[in-house]
Amino acid sequence: MLHLLWIAALLLPPLTESYTITLQPTDNLTIHIKRATNTPSQPCNICAPKCNALSLAISRGQKVDYTFDCSTPEKYFIMEVNRTIDCSSGMCPLNISLQPTNLHGLNRTFSWNILTSKNNGLIFGFSGPWLTQIDPSSQCPDHIRFKISTYVHDSSYSIGTFCRNGTITRIKVQERGVIALSLPWNLAIKDPGISITNRSSIKSLSIVESTFSQQSTVTLLSANYPDPFPTNEQMTWKFNLPENHAAAVQFLNHTSPMCVKKEENVHYYLPKPALHKLTDSQPANILQNFNLSLENCEVDTQKTAHPGLSLKFNITVQRSQGDQLYALDLTKEKGLVVHIKKRFTGRTFTPVCLICKAPMVCDSELVLEGGRYYKISFLCEQLSSLMVTAEKVIECWDLKTCNSRMPLTIPQTLIDFPVQLESYSWKLIAPENISNEIVSKSVYLQQDVVDKPCNAAAVGFTYDIFSSTNKDTLKVGAFCPNGSIEKIQLRDNVTITLKTPRNGNPAKLLTHDLHVSFVSFIKEVSIFTVSPKTEDMIYLETPNYESGLPDYASASWSINLTKKQSAKLKFGKDKMDISCEKGSAYVNIMEQKDGSPETVRREDQQLPSQLNIYSTFWVNISNCKPWTGTKKLKLQFCITFNQISPVLKYILIAVGLAVGVVLAVIATICCIKNKKKQIKAPVGIYNSKVNTEAPRRQAFFKKGKKNNESHIYAVIDDHMVYGHLLQEETNEMVPEVDVYQPFEGPMGNAPPIPLINFPNGSTRVDVKEESIKEDIEDRSIEGAIMDEPRSLSMKNNDIYVFSQSFSKQPVENEDTSITYMDDTRSGATTPVFGL
């Protein structure tokens, strides 16, 4: 017998514990146990008493014992407890309780169907914690979820789905309402915290009342969302705000119906009524309790494809600045645009901060144009989460009308504004033939470099300076006050951006002192004028340092020294460290006085390790076109300034006098030798009746050598006549052009820029890559080698005169007389050598 019982136990499925449900005749409720949706495929049945049932219904007055033939029935079955409450019979007010209390083991949904008379409304109250609305497809963190519905002409409409811990304290519906509370199988609560009261008609589909105890943002949905809102119905939200707080409304998403009569609208009571469209900007900075009502039109129900009316929106309540207004007087600021916006913090959530230019016209970003007067208010917890940026455009189209120097000013109203001025930009716009000049009168500029960075917190602000054309923009550099750069000249359009550090002192903006002017065109990308005041050492770098100096660009620095100063120039590296595809890159250093030597280095040569200079000098850096993918030209150099002591001054004077004496002695010896040569019998051919001036281009002799006798040979040396014979004997080449001599004339104010000679005969500085490429491809002329721009520049320079190449054949049988030809262009008779 025991053996048979043991076999039967193995064959029968395992049973769960036994449950007993007893309903009293007066309970007025029913319980349904049924299969859940999306259940596992394994079988599980209800045993009551046979194990073959898939559902179980228990009515009032019944007592039922049941169990399940599986160990996890919560995966297969759910329980629904439905109760009807008729408030018209005097059952309300009523606090809802969960009955029966011993229901557990399954996911449960308690539903209360509340009825009242046709002309009455129902109020569902929720004790703490209050409710917060969620999307119908979302889940609550604690898996306890409320759903509230109402009826219109026997059609059910969902007011919304809610979780605990929110701001919704009461929901009112008309005539009939349903409250459904869903609980997980392993959780039991004693009191759902729901009360029911019947009141007079609410004349609306529903009223949702939300009470804020602190600042927060909540999301609310229209009834039946995301399905269409009922036709010709109205839904209202009432918002109660704490003291010293304000609210803002933001519509996140909405759909519009196809109306037959009337229009859908949004009504506000603030407390005065205001009508808005769904597409309008919604009110903000609302300082008192207010109502919002969504009203639907009469919808064309035949066009079912149309989405209908739906609305999703946010209500943000934050501490308020009250009704305080801040003035921004921009009436005299022509061309100025001011942005007030949220500062980027990198946080995933920051409190909403709105800017208002009217009592309730607010947005997260405000754009204000110059020429007007504004009164600004804020709905913001902390104004430090906002920032102000401004941009002013200054244009010049004719140098005659805008050549005066103008200060770059910041309106005092922006300095006094409670939101920090993050940046202020000036954009200088002019045609290509006009350049720009930036001058600091009182506080010279320091360039922000790695070896000597700017301390923005100490000085209060920094400058970023950009130069731009229609195609490219390069960053000239970053600068701050209290340096040695007195003036910056820039060839192209300029943008100067003043930037302030976070939580900086606005009073330091008063020390800002920059002036700009439009000047005649310069060829270099930039020219810096450096006049050291108190600095013993300054650091400088080429424009666009991070990306490298543009191809064929040139930049110059004029370093001003007093008579009591000397300078020590040192570069940051030994070579330029670039490889040129076209042209050559140069560094030129020259003192700005007559007869000064010039230090020139090419990209493949070593830069000077150190130079000692005793007067004002130029530094010029000119770029080539580097090979694609190779390093770009970027150089840093520093200048150390020293005071010249009186002893050193006298030593230098003595050295200068000694050098002068030596030169005088050498000159005297050369004169004596020349006189001795003149005693020898000269050999030469001279015809006094003809003009012996050699033919040449008139442009080479602008000073007019016809007016003096410097071109007449008094004596022709033997080498001038028999030079070709000496060449044949010695096999040495006699140069056909003059030898390059350094320029020893007056210096002037122009920097020592290497000139680039092009096949069309023009000489340009800082030529763009496209122009050079066209000249090289269109014309092929021998000798126009870009690797030696300094030598090529002499070809078109009046200082250097090149003789014509004469025939190298013997002259014994040639006619050496000179014939005359009429030059009809000038009307003069021009001698022409017979060749």
Side-chain angles (χ1 to χ4, degrees):
M1 187 65 180
L2 293 174
H3 180 69
L4 294 175
L5 292 175
W6 180 78
I7 294 175
L10 291 177
L11 295 176
L12 291 175
L15 298 178
T16 60
E17 63 177 303
S18 178
Y19 301 94
T20 300
I21 296 178
T22 302
L23 299 181
Q24 301 298 327
T26 58
D27 284 342
N28 196 22
L29 59 85
T30 59
I31 298 175
H32 291 273
I33 300 174
K34 59 183 182 179
R35 298 281 292 191
T37 58
N38 301 322
T39 58
S41 58
Q42 296 178 359
C44 184
N45 299 305
I46 303 173
C47 301
K50 295 182 180 180
C51 298
N52 58 357
L54 297 179
S55 64
L56 179 63
I58 307 172
S59 301
R60 59 183 178 176
Q62 289 184 331
K63 178 179 180 182
V64 177
D65 295 323
Y66 66 95
T67 186
F68 300 94
D69 62 359
C70 62
S71 59
T72 55
E74 69 274 5
K75 296 180 180 180
Y76 302 90
F77 294 93
I78 60 171
M79 179 182 292
E80 292 181 351
V81 181
N82 299 312
R83 182 182 179 186
T84 299
I85 300 174
D86 188 358
C87 289
S88 60
S89 63
M91 297 181 62
C92 301
L94 175 70
N95 291 325
I96 292 178
S97 60
L98 299 181
Q99 292 179 351
T101 59
N102 60 341
L103 301 180
H104 54 86
L106 296 178
N107 294 329
R108 291 146 294 159
T109 298
F110 293 86
S111 296
W112 295 272
N113 185 17
I114 303 104
L115 305 175
T116 188
S117 60
K118 185 176 181 180
N119 296 324
N120 283 349
L122 294 170
I123 301 175
F124 303 148
F126 307 95
S127 59
W130 298 331
L131 303 185
T132 183
Q133 191 167 10
I134 62 170
D135 191 273
S137 60
S138 300
Q139 295 293 333
C140 296
D142 59 1
H143 302 287
I144 299 176
R145 191 167 73 157
F146 296 82
K147 182 178 180 180
I148 299 175
S149 304
T150 189
Y151 284 81
V152 176
H153 306 303
D154 296 327
S155 297
S156 176
Y157 290 93
S158 171
I159 301 301
T161 304
F162 307 88
C163 301
R164 297 195 297 182
N165 298 322
T167 61
I168 297 174
T169 56
R170 293 195 299 179
I171 295 177
K172 301 176 183 180
V173 297
Q174 182 71 18
E175 296 183 15
R176 181 182 177 187
V178 177
I179 302 175
L181 171 60
S182 298
L183 299 175
W185 66 274
N186 57 350
L187 180 65
I189 60 174
K190 294 182 179 180
D191 183 9
I194 304 173
S195 64
I196 302 173
T197 307
N198 57 335
R199 287 290 185 267
S200 59
S201 175
I202 64 173
K203 299 178 181 180
S204 178
L205 177 70
S206 68
I207 299 174
V208 178
E209 188 170 335
S210 184
T211 300
F212 292 83
S213 59
Q214 59 184 358
Q215 59 179 5
S216 61
T217 297
V218 299
T219 300
L220 297 167
L221 308 170
S222 60
N224 219 38
Y225 188 91
D227 295 328
F229 189 78
T231 182
N232 251 340
E233 288 290 342
Q234 177 177 295
M235 181 176 181
T236 300
W237 290 266
K238 297 182 66 175
F239 301 101
N240 302 315
L241 309 183
E243 189 177 359
N244 299 324
H245 283 65
V249 182
Q250 182 184 12
F251 285 3
L252 303 178
N253 183 30
H254 73 272
T255 58
S256 298
M258 181 67 70
C259 294
V260 176
K261 294 181 181 180
K262 301 190 303 181
E263 291 183 351
E264 75 281 6
N265 288 305
V266 179
H267 297 266
Y268 288 92
Y269 300 89
L270 301 165
K272 293 182 179 181
L275 184 65
H276 287 251
K277 300 290 186 183
L278 289 171
T279 54
D280 291 344
S281 177
Q282 303 305 313
N285 203 24
I286 305 170
L287 300 175
Q288 65 277 322
N289 301 340
F290 69 100
N291 295 354
L292 183 160
S293 296
L294 177 66
E295 183 180 11
N296 199 4
C297 60
E298 184 176 334
V299 179
D300 187 355
T301 57
Q302 300 299 322
K303 297 183 179 180
T304 57
H306 205 273
L309 176 63
S310 65
L311 176 64
K312 181 178 183 179
F313 64 99
N314 273 356
I315 297 291
T316 299
V317 174
Q318 293 183 188
R319 279 187 286 271
S320 170
Q321 302 288 326
D323 55 357
Q324 184 172 1
L325 299 176
Y326 301 92
L328 271 182
D329 186 2
L330 306 179
T331 53
K332 298 181 180 179
E333 301 301 327
K334 182 181 178 181
L336 179 66
V337 178
V338 176
H339 292 257
I340 308 175
K341 54 188 176 181
K342 193 172 182 179
R343 187 189 301 274
F344 177 75
T345 61
R347 295 163 55 187
T348 57
F349 171 79
T350 53
V352 172
C353 208
L354 300 178
I355 311 105
C356 311
K357 63 178 180 181
M360 284 180 288
V361 179
C362 308
D363 208 338
S364 58
E365 180 173 348
L366 207 58
V367 180
L368 309 175
E369 295 184 355
R372 298 183 59 185
Y373 185 91
Y374 299 92
K375 290 184 177 180
I376 307 299
S377 60
F378 300 96
L379 172 59
C380 195
E381 179 185 2
Q382 294 180 342
L383 295 184
S384 59
S385 63
L386 294 175
M387 66 179 181
V388 174
T389 62
E391 181 179 278
K392 186 168 186 176
V393 177
I394 304 173
E395 298 178 324
C396 175
W397 303 108
D398 186 358
L399 199 56
K400 295 180 181 179
T401 60
C402 51
N403 57 358
S404 60
R405 184 172 293 173
M406 65 192 80
L408 298 182
T409 59
I410 301 175
Q412 186 65 38
T413 186
L414 288 179
I415 298 176
D416 298 335
F417 199 60
V419 179
Q420 181 183 352
L421 179 64
E422 180 86 359
S423 66
Y424 195 105
S425 297
W426 296 268
K427 296 188 70 173
L428 309 182
I429 300 177
E432 293 183 356
N433 62 337
I434 297 178
S435 295
N436 306 277
E437 183 175 274
I438 307 169
V439 176
S440 177
K441 286 189 173 182
S442 58
V443 286
Y444 291 175
L445 299 180
Q446 170 196 327
Q447 190 162 14
D448 186 10
V449 297
V450 175
D451 292 326
K452 191 175 182 181
C454 288
N455 187 349
V459 298
F461 56 90
T462 59
Y463 300 101
D464 283 344
I465 300 180
F466 297 86
S467 177
S468 61
T469 62
N470 292 333
K471 296 181 180 179
D472 304 306
T473 298
L474 64 88
K475 184 176 182 179
V476 178
F479 304 87
C480 57
N482 304 325
S484 297
I485 301 175
E486 176 184 1
K487 180 170 61 177
I488 304 175
Q489 292 175 292
L490 298 168
R491 180 188 62 192
D492 302 315
N493 290 336
V494 176
T495 299
I496 306 167
T497 300
L498 180 149
K499 299 168 66 177
T500 61
R502 184 73 182 270
N503 301 322
N505 183 3
K508 292 186 177 181
L509 292 175
L510 300 175
T511 62
H512 153 73
D513 176 37
L514 285 186
H515 294 70
V516 296
S517 58
F518 296 96
V519 296
S520 300
F521 179 76
I522 64 171
K523 297 178 179 179
E524 297 91 326
V525 169
S526 59
I527 300 176
F528 297 82
T529 300
V530 180
S531 301
K533 283 186 173 182
T534 59
E535 289 183 298
D536 295 331
M537 179 181 292
I538 63 172
Y539 292 85
L540 301 167
E541 63 186 19
T542 50
N544 211 42
Y545 185 80
E546 293 181 1
S547 302
L549 193 65
D551 297 350
Y552 302 114
S554 177
S556 297
W557 293 260
S558 176
I559 314 298
N560 296 328
L561 299 180
T562 65
K563 294 181 179 180
K564 296 182 180 181
Q565 280 184 316
S566 66
K568 185 181 295 183
L569 173 64
K570 188 175 182 181
F571 288 92
K573 52 186 177 181
D574 297 334
K575 296 180 69 175
M576 296 188 212
D577 200 21
I578 62 170
S579 178
C580 293
E581 178 185 4
K582 294 179 181 178
S584 291
Y586 287 90
V587 172
N588 293 49
I589 304 160
M590 180 187 292
E591 294 187 43
Q592 298 182 30
K593 64 180 181 179
D594 296 346
S596 298
E598 183 176 3
T599 301
V600 182
R601 294 291 186 273
R602 204 167 54 187
E603 81 277 357
D604 55 353
Q605 297 174 330
Q606 292 281 337
L607 294 172
S609 60
Q610 182 175 297
L611 287 177
N612 294 315
I613 306 172
Y614 298 94
S615 64
T616 299
F617 64 98
W618 283 107
V619 176
N620 172 264
I621 298 174
S622 300
N623 198 11
C624 61
K625 181 186 178 183
W627 287 95
T628 303
T630 61
K631 295 181 179 180
K632 300 295 183 179
L633 178 57
K634 51 178 72 176
L635 282 179
Q636 289 182 333
F637 56 96
C638 69
I639 303 172
T640 304
F641 299 97
N642 297 305
Q643 296 295 323
I644 301 177
S645 64
V647 176
L648 179 59
K649 180 178 179 180
Y650 293 134
I651 292 174
L652 294 176
I653 294 174
V655 171
L657 293 174
V659 171
V661 172
V662 172
L663 293 176
V665 172
I666 294 174
T668 304
I669 295 173
C670 292
C671 290
I672 296 173
K673 287 186 178 181
N674 288 336
K675 287 182 179 180
K676 289 182 178 180
K677 287 184 179 181
Q678 292 177 4
I679 298 175
K680 295 181 182 180
V683 180
I685 300 172
Y686 176 69
N687 188 344
S688 61
K689 295 181 180 182
V690 298
N691 189 341
T692 60
E693 182 179 357
R696 79 283 184 210
R697 288 185 296 178
Q698 185 65 24
F700 279 178
F701 297 96
K702 293 182 180 178
K703 297 181 180 180
K705 292 189 177 182
K706 291 181 180 181
N707 300 329
N708 58 54
E709 297 183 353
S710 62
H711 59 284
I712 300 176
Y713 288 99
V715 174
I716 299 179
D717 198 4
D718 295 348
H719 294 285
M720 298 293 290
V721 180
Y722 304 107
H724 65 285
L725 300 177
L726 296 174
Q727 177 181 336
E728 292 177 356
E729 293 176 2
T730 61
N731 292 325
E732 295 179 358
M733 294 299 294
V734 178
E736 298 184 19
V737 298
D738 293 345
V739 179
Y740 168 75
Q741 297 292 336
F743 172 52
E744 296 179 355
M747 273 297 300
N749 295 326
I753 310 168
L755 300 179
I756 302 176
N757 193 80
F758 293 90
N760 59 7
S762 64
T763 304
R764 293 178 56 198
V765 180
D766 190 17
V767 189
K768 296 188 180 298
E769 175 185 349
E770 292 82 358
S771 302
I772 293 179
K773 184 175 182 181
E774 290 175 3
D775 287 336
I776 293 175
E777 291 178 351
D778 295 345
R779 302 174 178 85
S780 176
I781 296 181
E782 296 181 1
I785 303 173
M786 296 178 62
D787 285 342
E788 297 294 344
R790 293 181 57 81
S791 299
L792 292 174
S793 67
M794 296 187 296
K795 181 175 180 181
N796 295 330
N797 198 323
D798 292 339
I799 301 169
Y800 308 102
V801 181
F802 292 77
S803 63
Q804 301 294 326
S805 300
F806 294 96
S807 173
K808 297 182 182 180
Q809 301 298 325
V811 299
E812 288 88 352
N813 299 324
E814 291 191 10
D815 183 7
T816 59
S817 64
I818 301 174
T819 60
Y820 283 84
M821 294 184 65
D822 291 336
D823 190 347
T824 58
R825 292 172 297 177
S826 61
T829 303
T830 305
V832 179
F833 288 100
L835 299 177

